[in-house]
């Protein structure tokens, strides 16, 4: 396909948590659509380089950037590296698309058993980091840019054993809502995408019985694949979604019905 026909030709995207799973799927799809993709990782440099290699194999362009998002000052360090690489590759440090995907699963168990340390560890990555990454991005996001926050279907259902994770993802939906109104005058859209059970390569997806149980949660009778979420994100990143902002996109495969 001619470069000019690619929907995201000339755009620059940052995808956090892109060394595997949903983040890798999103990064690959944005790369195929023509964006130059910054592949963020926290600890798996090897995984990030694998994602970059897959994007390049697809004919796209990408590079890795590392930062442990639970640490204070992580957003500043990540963007300092990002902007330095972008200036080398493009001559400027501007960004068009930020995908806040990185997350940790959080503590599972009864609400009375959640410790402050466990709660903080979950909230730091899942809620605080997306806020400060978005805040830091505001100075470099071009007019008409995109912020896409990966939420979760758990914010619309009651699962007491996952309460800390649910609270952290609900905060992401509030980030979406308020930033959408704040950034509207710049033509920047902000939306949440909520996956359900998606095969992220974790151990449970190697267990056929567990996969079958999760599959039955969807009206389609299967677990989601990273591409199912990546395709939704790619739409929101494109000009086709210019009139959608502040929205919660249910991408759970009908799990919430």
């Amino acid at each position: 396909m001619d470069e000019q026909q690619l929907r995201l030709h000339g755009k620059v995207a940052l995808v956090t948590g892109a060394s595997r799973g949903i983040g890798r799927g999103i990064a690959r799809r944005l790369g195929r659509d023509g964006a130059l993709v910054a592949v963020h990782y926290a600890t798996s440099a090897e995984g990030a380089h694998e994602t970059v290699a897959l994007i390049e194999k697809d004919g796209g362009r990408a590079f890795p950037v590392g930062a442990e998002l639970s640490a204070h000052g992580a957003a500043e360090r990540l963007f300092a590296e990002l902007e330095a690489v972008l200036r080398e590759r493009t001559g400027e440090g501007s960004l068009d698309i930020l995908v806040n995907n990185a997350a940790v699963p959080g503590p599972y168990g009864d609400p009375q058993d959640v410790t402050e340390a466990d709660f903080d560890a979950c909230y730091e990555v899942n809620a605080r980091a997306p806020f400060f990454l978005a805040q830091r991005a505001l100075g470099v996001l071009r007019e008409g840019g995109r912020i896409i926050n990966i939420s979760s279907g758990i914010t619309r259902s009651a699962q007491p054993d996952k309460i800390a994770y649910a609270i952290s993802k609900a905060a992401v939906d509030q980030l979406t809502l308020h930033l959408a109104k704040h950034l509207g005058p710049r033509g920047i859209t902000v939306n949440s995408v909520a996956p359900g059970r998606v095969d992220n390569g974790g151990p449970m997806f190697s267990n056929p019985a567990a996969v079958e149980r999760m599959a039955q949660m969807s009206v389609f009778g299967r677990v989601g694949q990273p591409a199912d979420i990546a395709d939704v994100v790619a739409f929101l990143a494109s000009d086709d979604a210019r009139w959608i902002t502040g929205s919660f996109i249910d991408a759970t495969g009908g799990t919430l019905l």
Side-chain angles (χ1 to χ4, degrees):
M1 182 181 290
D2 184 89
E3 283 190 340
Q4 298 300 330
Q5 294 178 293
L6 298 176
R7 294 199 299 179
L8 301 179
H9 174 64
K11 305 293 187 181
V12 176
L14 167 62
V15 182
T16 66
S19 63
R20 66 181 185 91
I22 292 174
R24 172 176 286 180
I26 292 170
R28 292 188 68 181
R29 174 59 199 269
L30 298 184
R32 284 197 299 271
D33 281 359
L36 170 60
V37 184
V39 176
H40 163 264
Y41 67 94
T43 58
S44 180
E46 180 181 359
H49 282 283
E50 288 175 359
T51 301
V52 169
L54 288 167
I55 292 170
E56 292 176 342
K57 183 179 178 181
D58 293 337
R61 300 172 300 143
F63 59 90
V65 287
E68 174 49 71
L69 297 184
S70 64
H72 285 268
E76 183 58 41
R77 287 190 290 275
L78 191 160
F79 270 85
E81 180 180 353
L82 172 68
E83 291 174 49
V85 176
L86 288 176
R87 288 192 184 96
E88 290 179 2
R89 298 188 63 146
T90 70
E92 58 178 311
S94 298
L95 186 68
D96 299 284
I97 302 159
L98 168 63
V99 182
N100 276 315
N101 166 75
V104 296
Y108 292 156
D110 290 339
Q112 62 266 31
D113 296 329
V114 176
T115 68
E116 289 188 11
D118 287 341
F119 185 94
D120 288 347
C122 179
Y123 205 82
E124 284 169 353
V125 176
N126 296 2
R128 190 188 71 189
F131 174 82
F132 286 106
L133 287 168
Q135 181 192 69
R136 181 61 176 79
L138 297 187
V140 296
L141 266 176
R142 292 188 178 101
E143 303 297 295
R146 301 284 188 265
I147 297 177
I148 302 163
N149 298 316
I150 304 303
S151 177
S152 172
I154 199 173
T155 66
R156 299 296 194 274
S157 64
Q159 298 181 48
D161 62 326
K162 300 179 179 65
I163 189 170
Y165 179 76
I167 289 171
S168 71
K169 285 299 188 178
V172 168
D173 293 337
Q174 286 297 306
L175 174 65
T176 292
L177 187 66
H178 295 281
L179 279 184
K181 188 166 187 177
H182 179 66
L183 296 174
R186 293 176 56 186
I188 296 172
T189 68
V190 189
N191 292 288
S192 290
V193 175
R197 298 289 186 169
V198 177
D199 186 348
N200 62 5
M204 73 176 69
F205 292 96
S206 298
N207 182 331
V211 171
E212 179 59 25
R213 287 195 299 272
M214 289 185 283
Q216 295 312 308
M217 297 178 183
S218 165
V219 297
F220 301 119
R222 67 172 177 86
V223 297
Q225 296 299 316
D228 295 321
I229 309 305
D231 290 349
V232 177
V233 172
F235 165 69
L236 291 173
S238 75
D239 189 57
D240 291 342
R242 61 192 174 278
W243 204 236
I244 301 173
T245 196
S247 291
F248 173 91
I249 308 299
D250 179 347
T252 67
T255 298
L256 301 180
L257 297 179

